Amino acid sequence: MRMIRKLDAPYSAGAAPVTFTRLLADKLSKAWSQPVIVEPKPGGSGFLAIEAVKNAMPDGHELLIASNSHVAINPALYQKLPYDPNRDLVPVAMFYRTPFFVIVSTNGPYRSVPALIAAAKANPGTVSYGSSYVGSPSHLGSAEFEYRTGTKMIHVPYRDQSQMYVGIASGDVGWAFSTLGSALPLIQAGKIKILAIAAKDRLKTLPDVPTIEEAGGPAGLEVDSWLALMAPRGTSPDIVRRINAEVNRQLADPEVLEQMRKLGFEPAPGTPEEFAAVIAADAKKYGELVRRTGAKAD
């Protein structure tokens, strides 16, 4: 009997990382001639999905979908974690990188980045920002935004990412840093809009969206994320390399590339060693950011 490969995802079912991973899982199912299912396990800043994979058999049949928040941000943000990224998980393959955007309600009070900053300065502790969970890039990016603008805002973390966008559209939450893919449905519905991109340069597919600096915000503010595949510690290098090779092959598939383009993702193929180096560099970067901004997990 063939084993079912299961990919545990620390995201809600409608989130862009799950949407993309399901497409990739379908491609992998055909390549491996066996089912590959994606199981959303949101909540707990990724702890639920990570715990499942951490305790799984190291045979390559149960893997983790992880981002920089789970293996580079959480260790800096939490004094105690129920897992150790370096001890419990093995880097397998990166999927993509994606920048974040400042999003607000289409009919809300914030028509520009300077207007958002001015409101936060005029009324400290009243303007709120959402995040998909504590320790997410949107959380740390917003803390950096506060630090750079000399403001104090209210952090509102959500268990279900889709609810954050509903909250912004309805005015329950003022704004958020978001990827394009996750915000796209409500952007297309005209409920929320993009003010700026938190990157050095404009996105080629959205040339009319200015950078935060161009929009009148702090210079050089970058908020981004990546999505990747990790395995339980003890998984053999041979299994890791075989999975890595197939993921890289699928990242060149035209249908996969088109889906990434629509969602604002950039493919990030590479070796497991290159992925490990990315984790190490991000852990250093976010450790410094947490210390500088005083961001907290509570």
Side-chain angles (χ1 to χ4, degrees), residues 210-262:
T211 66
I212 287 180
E213 182 176 359
E214 290 173 332
L221 179 59
E222 297 180 56
V223 183
D224 61 9
S225 184
W226 44 257
L227 197 71
L229 204 56
M230 302 192 79
R233 177 60 59 184
T235 304
S236 75
D238 179 60
I239 290 175
V240 168
R241 291 197 179 282
R242 279 192 282 135
I243 296 173
N244 174 275
E246 188 56 46
V247 168
N248 285 340
R249 191 171 78 84
Q250 297 302 333
L251 289 178
D253 180 279
E255 185 180 359
V256 172
L257 288 171
E258 176 61 16
Q259 178 75 347
M260 282 193 279
R261 187 194 67 78
K262 288 180 180 178

Side-chain angles (χ1 to χ4, degrees), residues 198-224:
K200 288 182 180 178
D201 303 299
R202 299 188 182 200
L203 199 65
K204 291 180 180 178
T205 53
L206 292 172
D208 294 333
V209 176
T211 66
I212 287 180
E213 182 176 359
E214 290 173 332
L221 179 59
E222 297 180 56
V223 183
D224 61 9

